[in-house]
Amino acid sequence: MKRKVRMGMVGGGPAAFIGEVHRKAARLDGKIEILAGAFDIDPAQSRKMGEMLCLDPTRVYDTYQQMIEQELKRPDPVDFITIATPNKWHFPIANDCLKAGFHVMCEKPMTLTLNEAVELKKVVEQTGKVFGLMHNYTAYPMVKLARDMVRQGDIGKVLKIVVQYPQGWLIKPIEREGSPQAAWRTDPKQSGAGGCVGDIGTHAANLAEYVSGLKIQEICAELTTFVAGRQLDDDANALLRFNNGARGLLHASQISVGQENNLAIWVHGDKGSLEWHQEDPNELVVCGMDQPVQVWRRGNDYIGRKSPAAARATRIPFGHPEAFLEAFANNYVNFADTIAARIENRAPTEWELDFPGVEQGVRGMAFIETMVASASSDAKWTCLPDFE
Ligand code: NAD
């Protein structure tokens, strides 16, 4: 393409957590330029962020509505808008941006409720705009390799999936001690029906479905709130049944002291098993029956021969670790290339289309609501709703 893809942003003000990760990742491959934003709920902080980013002050807005209105009047409006606000804002902002003609990259969980998610899927279909959802963990090269090994039958029929995402940062009531990140995450009006289960359980569920190619069909869950006075769960445990009959275990926690971001997955098939750890993301452990354990390492030529998608998601040679920022960038580069394909009037390739979208967003919201429904009926087995 002769120009960069133009990005605007909602959220990601000076004190925000994930907004700066988006900006760094979007810029990593030089295909995207950040030109506009309504960066903060406080307009003064939005302007401060614009100054920190050396943006044209006329493109730093007080509200996202103002950004939509003013950008549409420009000869060079942004092509897409990233939404990195607390969850309650995702639906109204995505809905307005798509209807105004912008492509959207949205943070997870996609919406506040499943109803909103189903509605947003319709809007994406009706507008025909490109919609990306930032499930960053499925963008690691070794996760793409794992998915391709399962697809190619290397571990046979998938029988069992164990997935975990423990953290420990919410062991104290820091939502009442000035942490803005904890405050909205533990408030159902801003976070939705799930606390920990929505915040990180959705990443674990998405990872299990991505790697296995299966769908979670039924859930038996327990959600617990350990910290007194907290309104939402801070610990989630579930048994899963997948659509091919496979069984699963999922646990997510934000009160597991000492755990940082210990997302990990084990996929067991009738011929072999795979194991991946987010805190050691450059390796995939592969086990076959009656064979020594193999460790596949990112960046080697044999990875690309097995999984072109994994090779495409790799920037630097073996032995130099890649991780979190690069995974965000992998979603951004595929998303931007898909937008570029639209601009160039060509069909995007299969690999360019390899980023999570509205389907995964709807499944994420169905997962949260089913976890909550099962947990509130004393761990009764509960089917995911039929929303397709
Ligand atoms: P945060 O509280 O640190 O930052 C939120 C930002 O959004 C703040 O700058 C706030 O002022 C701004 N904001 C709120 N409402 C706004 C509005 N109406 N218009 C403009 N700006 C607004 O939150 P965070 O931890 O960065 O999380 C943001 C989102 O990202 C959440 O949906 C969260 O679930 C998601 N997240 C995803 C990952 C991941 O790994 N994919 C990691 C962290 C957070």
Coordinates of all heavy atoms in Angstrom, one line a residue, residues 9-22 37-42 45-46 49 61-65 83-90 93 106-110 133-137 165 167 169 179-185 190-191 198-200 202-203 261 324 328, ligand 1:
M9 N -8.1 6.5 18.3 CA -8.2 5.7 19.6 C -9.2 6.2 20.5 O -9.2 7.5 20.7 CB -6.8 5.6 20.2 CG -6.6 4.7 21.2 SD -4.9 4.4 21.6 CE -5.1 3.0 22.7
V10 N -9.9 5.4 21.2 CA -10.8 5.8 22.4 C -10.2 5.1 23.6 O -10.2 3.8 23.6 CB -12.3 5.5 22.2 CG1 -13.1 6.2 23.2 CG2 -12.7 6.0 20.8
G11 N -9.9 5.8 24.6 CA -9.3 5.2 25.8 C -7.8 5.3 25.7 O -7.3 5.8 24.7
G12 N -7.1 4.8 26.7 CA -5.7 4.8 26.6 C -5.1 6.1 27.1 O -4.1 6.6 26.5
G13 N -5.7 6.8 28.1 CA -5.2 8.0 28.6 C -3.9 7.9 29.3 O -3.4 6.7 29.5
P14 N -3.3 9.0 29.9 CA -2.0 8.9 30.5 C -1.9 7.9 31.6 O -0.8 7.3 31.8 CB -1.8 10.3 31.1 CG -2.7 11.2 30.3 CD -3.9 10.3 29.9
A15 N -3.0 7.6 32.4 CA -2.9 6.7 33.5 C -3.4 5.3 33.2 O -3.5 4.5 34.1 CB -3.6 7.3 34.7
A16 N -3.7 5.1 31.9 CA -4.4 3.8 31.6 C -3.3 2.7 31.4 O -2.2 3.0 31.2 CB -5.1 4.0 30.2
F17 N -3.8 1.5 31.5 CA -2.9 0.3 31.4 C -2.7 -0.1 30.0 O -1.5 0.0 29.4 CB -3.4 -0.9 32.3 CG -2.8 -2.2 32.0 CD1 -1.4 -2.3 31.8 CD2 -3.5 -3.3 31.9 CE1 -0.8 -3.5 31.5 CE2 -2.9 -4.6 31.6 CZ -1.5 -4.6 31.4
I18 N -3.7 -0.6 29.3 CA -3.5 -1.3 28.0 C -3.3 -0.4 26.8 O -2.8 -0.8 25.8 CB -4.5 -2.4 27.8 CG1 -4.0 -3.6 27.1 CG2 -5.8 -1.8 27.2 CD1 -2.9 -4.3 27.8
G19 N -3.8 0.9 26.9 CA -3.7 1.7 25.8 C -2.3 1.9 25.2 O -2.2 1.8 23.9
E20 N -1.3 2.1 26.0 CA 0.0 2.3 25.5 C 0.5 1.0 24.8 O 1.3 1.0 23.9 CB 0.9 2.7 26.6 CG 2.4 3.1 26.2 CD 2.5 4.1 25.1 OE1 1.5 5.0 24.9 OE2 3.5 4.1 24.4
V21 N 0.1 -0.2 25.3 CA 0.5 -1.4 24.7 C -0.1 -1.5 23.3 O 0.6 -1.8 22.3 CB 0.0 -2.6 25.5 CG1 0.2 -3.9 24.8 CG2 0.6 -2.7 26.9
H22 N -1.3 -1.0 23.1 CA -1.9 -1.0 21.8 C -1.1 0.0 20.9 O -0.8 -0.4 19.7 CB -3.3 -0.4 21.8 CG -4.3 -1.5 22.2 ND1 -5.1 -2.2 21.3 CD2 -4.7 -2.0 23.4 CE1 -5.9 -3.0 21.9 NE2 -5.7 -2.9 23.2
G37 N -7.4 10.8 18.6 CA -7.9 10.1 19.7 C -8.8 10.9 20.6 O -8.7 12.2 20.7
A38 N -9.7 10.2 21.3 CA -10.4 10.7 22.5 C -9.9 9.8 23.6 O -10.5 8.7 23.8 CB -11.9 10.6 22.3
F39 N -8.8 10.1 24.2 CA -8.0 9.2 24.9 C -8.5 8.9 26.4 O -8.0 8.0 27.0 CB -6.5 9.6 25.0 CG -5.8 9.6 23.6 CD1 -5.6 10.8 23.0 CD2 -5.5 8.4 23.0 CE1 -5.0 10.8 21.7 CE2 -4.9 8.4 21.8 CZ -4.6 9.6 21.1
D40 N -9.3 9.9 26.9 CA -9.6 9.7 28.3 C -11.0 10.2 28.6 O -11.5 11.1 27.8 CB -8.6 10.6 29.1 CG -8.4 10.1 30.5 OD1 -9.3 10.4 31.4 OD2 -7.4 9.4 30.8
I41 N -11.6 9.7 29.6 CA -13.0 10.2 30.0 C -12.9 11.7 30.4 O -13.8 12.4 30.3 CB -13.5 9.3 31.1 CG1 -15.0 9.5 31.3 CG2 -12.8 9.4 32.4 CD1 -15.9 8.9 30.3
D42 N -11.7 12.1 30.9 CA -11.5 13.5 31.2 C -10.8 14.2 30.0 O -9.7 13.9 29.7 CB -10.6 13.5 32.5 CG -10.1 14.9 32.8 OD1 -10.4 15.9 32.1 OD2 -9.4 15.0 33.9
Q45 N -7.2 15.2 30.3 CA -6.2 14.1 30.2 C -6.1 13.6 28.7 O -5.1 13.2 28.3 CB -6.7 13.0 31.1 CG -6.6 13.3 32.6 CD -5.2 13.7 33.0 OE1 -4.2 12.9 32.7 NE2 -5.0 14.8 33.6
S46 N -7.2 13.7 28.0 CA -7.1 13.4 26.6 C -6.2 14.3 25.8 O -5.3 13.8 25.1 CB -8.5 13.4 25.9 OG -8.5 13.1 24.6
M49 N -2.6 13.5 26.7 CA -2.1 12.3 26.0 C -1.7 12.7 24.6 O -0.7 12.2 24.0 CB -3.2 11.2 26.0 CG -2.7 9.9 25.6 SD -1.6 9.2 26.8 CE -0.2 9.0 25.9
Y61 N -9.5 14.8 20.7 CA -10.9 15.2 21.0 C -11.3 15.0 22.4 O -10.7 14.2 23.2 CB -11.8 14.4 20.0 CG -11.4 14.5 18.6 CD1 -10.7 13.6 17.9 CD2 -11.9 15.7 17.9 CE1 -10.3 13.8 16.6 CE2 -11.5 15.8 16.5 CZ -10.8 14.9 15.9 OH -10.4 15.1 14.6
D62 N -12.4 15.7 22.8 CA -12.9 15.6 24.2 C -13.7 14.4 24.3 O -13.8 13.8 25.4 CB -13.8 16.8 24.5 CG -13.0 18.1 24.7 OD1 -11.7 18.0 24.6 OD2 -13.6 19.2 24.8
T63 N -14.4 14.0 23.3 CA -15.3 12.8 23.4 C -15.1 11.9 22.1 O -14.7 12.5 21.0 CB -16.8 13.2 23.5 OG1 -17.2 13.8 22.2 CG2 -17.1 14.0 24.7
Y64 N -15.5 10.7 22.2 CA -15.4 9.8 20.9 C -16.5 10.3 19.9 O -16.2 10.2 18.7 CB -15.6 8.4 21.3 CG -17.0 7.9 21.5 CD1 -17.8 7.4 20.5 CD2 -17.5 7.8 22.8 CE1 -19.1 7.0 20.7 CE2 -18.8 7.4 23.0 CZ -19.6 7.0 22.0 OH -20.9 6.5 22.2
Q65 N -17.6 10.8 20.4 CA -18.6 11.3 19.4 C -18.0 12.5 18.6 O -18.2 12.5 17.4 CB -19.9 11.8 20.1 CG -20.7 10.7 20.8 CD -20.3 10.5 22.3 OE1 -19.2 10.9 22.7 NE2 -21.3 10.0 23.0
I83 N -10.7 0.7 20.5 CA -11.4 0.9 21.7 C -10.7 0.2 22.9 O -10.7 -1.0 22.9 CB -12.9 0.4 21.6 CG1 -13.5 1.1 20.4 CG2 -13.6 0.7 22.9 CD1 -14.9 0.4 20.0
A84 N -10.1 1.0 23.8 CA -9.4 0.5 24.9 C -9.9 1.1 26.2 O -9.1 1.6 27.1 CB -7.9 0.7 24.7
T85 N -11.2 1.2 26.3 CA -11.9 1.7 27.5 C -12.4 0.6 28.4 O -12.4 -0.6 28.0 CB -13.2 2.5 27.1 OG1 -14.0 1.5 26.4 CG2 -12.8 3.6 26.1
P86 N -12.9 0.9 29.6 CA -13.6 -0.2 30.4 C -14.7 -0.8 29.6 O -15.3 -0.1 28.7 CB -14.0 0.6 31.6 CG -13.0 1.7 31.8 CD -12.7 2.1 30.4
N87 N -15.1 -2.0 29.9 CA -16.0 -2.8 29.1 C -17.4 -2.1 28.8 O -17.9 -2.3 27.7 CB -16.3 -4.1 29.8 CG -15.1 -4.9 30.2 OD1 -14.0 -4.5 29.7 ND2 -15.2 -5.8 31.1
K88 N -17.9 -1.3 29.7 CA -19.3 -0.8 29.5 C -19.3 0.1 28.2 O -20.4 0.3 27.7 CB -19.8 -0.1 30.7 CG -19.2 1.3 30.9 CD -20.1 2.1 31.8 CE -19.6 3.5 31.9 NZ -20.4 4.4 32.8
W89 N -18.2 0.6 27.8 CA -18.2 1.6 26.7 C -18.0 0.9 25.4 O -18.2 1.5 24.3 CB -17.0 2.6 26.9 CG -17.3 3.6 27.9 CD1 -16.7 3.6 29.2 CD2 -18.1 4.7 27.9 NE1 -17.2 4.6 29.9 CE2 -18.0 5.4 29.1 CE3 -18.9 5.3 26.9 CZ2 -18.8 6.5 29.4 CZ3 -19.6 6.4 27.1 CH2 -19.5 7.0 28.4
H90 N -17.6 -0.4 25.4 CA -17.2 -1.1 24.1 C -18.4 -1.1 23.1 O -18.2 -0.7 22.0 CB -16.8 -2.5 24.4 CG -15.5 -2.7 25.2 ND1 -15.0 -3.9 25.5 CD2 -14.7 -1.7 25.7 CE1 -13.9 -3.7 26.2 NE2 -13.7 -2.4 26.4
I93 N -19.5 2.6 21.7 CA -18.5 3.2 20.8 C -18.3 2.4 19.6 O -18.3 2.9 18.5 CB -17.1 3.3 21.6 CG1 -17.3 4.2 22.8 CG2 -16.0 3.8 20.7 CD1 -16.0 4.2 23.8
C106 N -11.4 -3.7 18.9 CA -12.0 -3.5 20.2 C -11.3 -4.4 21.2 O -10.9 -5.6 20.9 CB -13.4 -3.9 20.1 SG -14.4 -3.6 21.6
E107 N -11.2 -3.9 22.5 CA -10.7 -4.8 23.5 C -11.7 -5.8 24.0 O -12.9 -5.7 23.7 CB -10.3 -3.9 24.8 CG -8.8 -3.6 24.8 CD -7.9 -4.9 24.9 OE1 -8.5 -6.0 25.1 OE2 -6.7 -4.9 24.8
K108 N -11.3 -6.8 24.6 CA -12.2 -7.9 25.2 C -12.5 -7.5 26.6 O -11.7 -6.8 27.2 CB -11.5 -9.3 25.1 CG -10.1 -9.4 25.5 CD -9.6 -8.8 26.8 CE -10.2 -9.4 28.1 NZ -9.7 -8.6 29.3
P109 N -13.5 -8.1 27.3 CA -14.6 -8.8 26.6 C -15.3 -7.8 25.7 O -15.4 -6.6 26.0 CB -15.5 -9.3 27.8 CG -15.1 -8.4 28.9 CD -13.7 -8.0 28.7
M110 N -15.9 -8.3 24.6 CA -16.4 -7.4 23.5 C -17.4 -6.4 24.0 O -17.4 -5.3 23.5 CB -16.9 -8.3 22.4 CG -17.2 -7.5 21.1 SD -17.5 -8.5 19.7 CE -19.2 -9.1 20.0
L133 N -10.9 -8.1 17.5 CA -11.0 -8.2 18.9 C -9.7 -8.6 19.5 O -9.1 -9.5 19.1 CB -12.1 -9.3 19.2 CG -12.5 -9.4 20.7 CD1 -13.4 -8.2 21.1 CD2 -13.2 -10.7 21.0
M134 N -9.2 -7.8 20.5 CA -7.9 -8.0 21.0 C -7.7 -9.2 22.0 O -7.5 -9.0 23.2 CB -7.3 -6.8 21.6 CG -5.8 -6.8 21.8 SD -4.8 -7.6 20.4 CE -4.6 -6.2 19.4
H135 N -7.9 -10.4 21.4 CA -7.5 -11.6 22.1 C -6.1 -11.9 21.7 O -5.8 -12.7 20.8 CB -8.4 -12.8 21.8 CG -9.6 -12.9 22.7 ND1 -9.5 -13.0 24.1 CD2 -10.9 -13.0 22.5 CE1 -10.7 -13.1 24.7 NE2 -11.6 -13.0 23.7
N136 N -5.2 -11.2 22.4 CA -3.7 -11.2 22.0 C -3.0 -12.6 22.2 O -2.1 -12.9 21.5 CB -3.0 -10.2 22.9 CG -3.4 -10.1 24.3 OD1 -4.6 -10.0 24.6 ND2 -2.5 -10.3 25.2
Y137 N -3.6 -13.4 23.1 CA -2.8 -14.6 23.4 C -2.8 -15.7 22.3 O -2.0 -16.5 22.2 CB -3.3 -15.3 24.7 CG -3.0 -14.3 25.9 CD1 -4.1 -13.7 26.6 CD2 -1.7 -14.0 26.2 CE1 -3.8 -12.8 27.6 CE2 -1.4 -13.1 27.2 CZ -2.5 -12.5 27.9 OH -2.2 -11.6 28.9
Y165 N -5.6 -19.6 34.0 CA -5.1 -18.2 33.9 C -5.1 -17.6 35.4 O -6.0 -16.9 35.7 CB -5.9 -17.3 33.0 CG -5.1 -16.0 32.6 CD1 -5.4 -15.3 31.4 CD2 -4.1 -15.5 33.4 CE1 -4.8 -14.2 31.1 CE2 -3.5 -14.4 33.1 CZ -3.8 -13.7 31.9 OH -3.1 -12.5 31.6
Q167 N -3.8 -15.2 38.4 CA -3.1 -13.9 38.7 C -3.3 -13.8 40.3 O -4.2 -14.4 40.8 CB -3.7 -12.7 38.1 CG -3.7 -12.7 36.5 CD -4.3 -11.5 36.0 OE1 -5.2 -10.9 36.6 NE2 -3.9 -11.1 34.8
W169 N -3.1 -10.3 41.7 CA -3.0 -8.8 42.0 C -4.2 -8.3 42.7 O -4.2 -7.2 43.3 CB -2.7 -8.0 40.7 CG -3.8 -8.0 39.7 CD1 -4.3 -9.1 39.0 CD2 -4.7 -6.9 39.4 NE1 -5.3 -8.7 38.2 CE2 -5.6 -7.4 38.4 CE3 -4.7 -5.6 39.7 CZ2 -6.5 -6.5 37.8 CZ3 -5.7 -4.8 39.1 CH2 -6.6 -5.2 38.2
S179 N -7.0 2.2 43.0 CA -6.6 1.6 41.8 C -7.7 1.7 40.7 O -8.7 1.1 40.9 CB -6.2 0.1 41.9 OG -6.2 -0.5 40.6
P180 N -7.5 2.6 39.7 CA -8.6 2.7 38.7 C -8.9 1.4 38.0 O -10.0 1.1 37.7 CB -8.1 3.8 37.8 CG -6.7 4.1 38.1 CD -6.4 3.4 39.4
Q181 N -7.8 0.6 37.7 CA -8.0 -0.6 37.0 C -8.8 -1.6 37.8 O -9.7 -2.3 37.3 CB -6.6 -1.3 36.7 CG -5.8 -0.6 35.5 CD -5.2 0.7 35.9 OE1 -4.9 1.0 37.0 NE2 -5.1 1.6 34.9
A182 N -8.6 -1.7 39.1 CA -9.4 -2.6 40.0 C -10.8 -2.0 40.2 O -11.8 -2.8 40.2 CB -8.7 -2.8 41.3
A183 N -10.9 -0.7 40.2 CA -12.3 -0.1 40.5 C -13.3 -0.5 39.5 O -14.4 -1.0 39.8 CB -12.1 1.4 40.7
W184 N -13.0 -0.3 38.2 CA -14.0 -0.6 37.2 C -14.2 -2.1 37.0 O -15.2 -2.6 36.7 CB -13.8 0.1 35.9 CG -12.7 -0.3 35.0 CD1 -11.5 0.4 34.9 CD2 -12.6 -1.4 34.2 NE1 -10.7 -0.3 34.0 CE2 -11.4 -1.4 33.5 CE3 -13.5 -2.4 33.8 CZ2 -11.0 -2.4 32.6 CZ3 -13.1 -3.4 33.0 CH2 -11.9 -3.4 32.3
R185 N -13.0 -2.9 37.2 CA -13.1 -4.3 36.9 C -14.0 -5.0 38.0 O -14.5 -6.1 37.7 CB -11.7 -5.0 37.0 CG -11.0 -4.8 35.7 CD -9.6 -5.4 35.8 NE -8.9 -5.5 34.5 CZ -8.3 -4.5 33.9 NH1 -8.3 -3.3 34.4 NH2 -7.6 -4.7 32.8
Q190 N -19.7 -1.5 35.2 CA -18.7 -1.2 34.2 C -18.0 -2.4 33.6 O -17.5 -2.3 32.5 CB -17.6 -0.3 34.9 CG -18.1 1.0 35.4 CD -17.0 1.9 35.8 OE1 -16.3 2.3 34.9 NE2 -16.8 2.1 37.1
S191 N -18.0 -3.5 34.3 CA -17.3 -4.7 33.9 C -18.2 -5.7 33.3 O -17.8 -6.4 32.4 CB -16.6 -5.3 35.2 OG -15.7 -6.3 34.8
G198 N -14.7 -12.7 33.4 CA -14.8 -11.9 32.2 C -13.4 -11.4 31.8 O -13.1 -11.3 30.7
D199 N -12.7 -10.9 32.8 CA -11.4 -10.2 32.6 C -10.3 -11.2 32.0 O -9.7 -10.8 31.0 CB -10.9 -9.6 33.9 CG -9.9 -8.5 33.7 OD1 -10.0 -7.8 32.7 OD2 -9.0 -8.4 34.5
I200 N -10.2 -12.4 32.6 CA -9.1 -13.3 32.1 C -9.6 -14.7 31.8 O -9.0 -15.4 31.0 CB -7.9 -13.3 33.1 CG1 -8.4 -13.7 34.5 CG2 -7.2 -12.0 33.1 CD1 -7.2 -13.9 35.5
T202 N -12.1 -15.3 30.0 CA -12.4 -15.2 28.5 C -11.1 -15.5 27.7 O -11.2 -16.1 26.6 CB -12.9 -13.8 28.1 OG1 -12.2 -12.8 28.8 CG2 -14.4 -13.7 28.5
H203 N -10.0 -15.0 28.1 CA -8.7 -15.3 27.4 C -8.5 -16.8 27.4 O -8.1 -17.4 26.4 CB -7.5 -14.6 28.1 CG -7.3 -13.2 27.7 ND1 -7.3 -12.8 26.4 CD2 -7.1 -12.1 28.4 CE1 -7.1 -11.5 26.4 NE2 -7.0 -11.0 27.6
N261 N 1.0 -13.7 35.4 CA 0.1 -14.0 34.2 C 0.3 -15.4 33.7 O 0.8 -15.6 32.6 CB 0.3 -12.9 33.1 CG -0.4 -11.6 33.4 OD1 -1.6 -11.5 33.3 ND2 0.3 -10.6 33.9
F324 N 4.7 -10.4 24.5 CA 3.4 -9.7 24.7 C 3.2 -8.7 23.6 O 2.2 -8.7 22.9 CB 3.4 -9.1 26.1 CG 2.1 -8.6 26.5 CD1 1.0 -9.5 26.8 CD2 1.9 -7.3 26.8 CE1 -0.2 -9.1 27.2 CE2 0.6 -6.8 27.2 CZ -0.4 -7.7 27.5
F328 N 0.4 -8.7 20.4 CA -0.6 -7.6 20.0 C -0.3 -7.1 18.6 O -1.2 -6.9 17.8 CB -0.4 -6.4 21.0 CG -1.2 -6.5 22.2 CD1 -0.9 -7.3 23.3 CD2 -2.4 -5.7 22.3 CE1 -1.7 -7.3 24.4 CE2 -3.2 -5.7 23.5 CZ -2.8 -6.5 24.5
Ligands
NAD1 P1 -7.8 1.5 32.4 O1 -8.7 1.9 33.5 O2 -6.3 1.4 32.8 O3 -7.9 2.6 31.2 C1 -9.1 2.9 30.7 C2 -8.9 4.2 29.9 O4 -10.1 4.5 29.2 C3 -8.7 5.5 30.8 O5 -7.8 6.3 30.1 C4 -10.1 6.1 30.8 O6 -10.0 7.5 31.1 C5 -10.5 5.9 29.4 N1 -12.0 6.0 29.2 C6 -13.0 5.5 29.9 N2 -14.1 5.8 29.3 C7 -13.9 6.6 28.2 C8 -14.7 7.2 27.3 N3 -16.0 7.1 27.3 N4 -14.0 7.9 26.3 C9 -12.7 8.0 26.2 N5 -11.9 7.4 27.1 C10 -12.5 6.7 28.1 O7 -8.3 0.2 31.8 P2 -7.4 -1.0 31.1 O8 -6.8 -1.8 32.1 O9 -6.4 -0.3 30.1 O10 -8.5 -1.8 30.3 C11 -9.1 -1.2 29.2 C12 -9.8 -2.4 28.4 O11 -8.8 -3.2 27.9 C13 -10.7 -3.3 29.1 O12 -11.8 -3.6 28.3 C14 -9.9 -4.5 29.5 O13 -10.7 -5.6 29.7 C15 -9.0 -4.6 28.3 N6 -7.7 -5.2 28.6 C16 -7.2 -6.2 27.8 C17 -6.0 -6.7 28.0 C18 -5.5 -7.8 27.1 O14 -4.5 -8.5 27.4 N7 -6.0 -7.9 25.9 C19 -5.2 -6.3 29.1 C20 -5.7 -5.3 29.9 C21 -6.9 -4.7 29.7

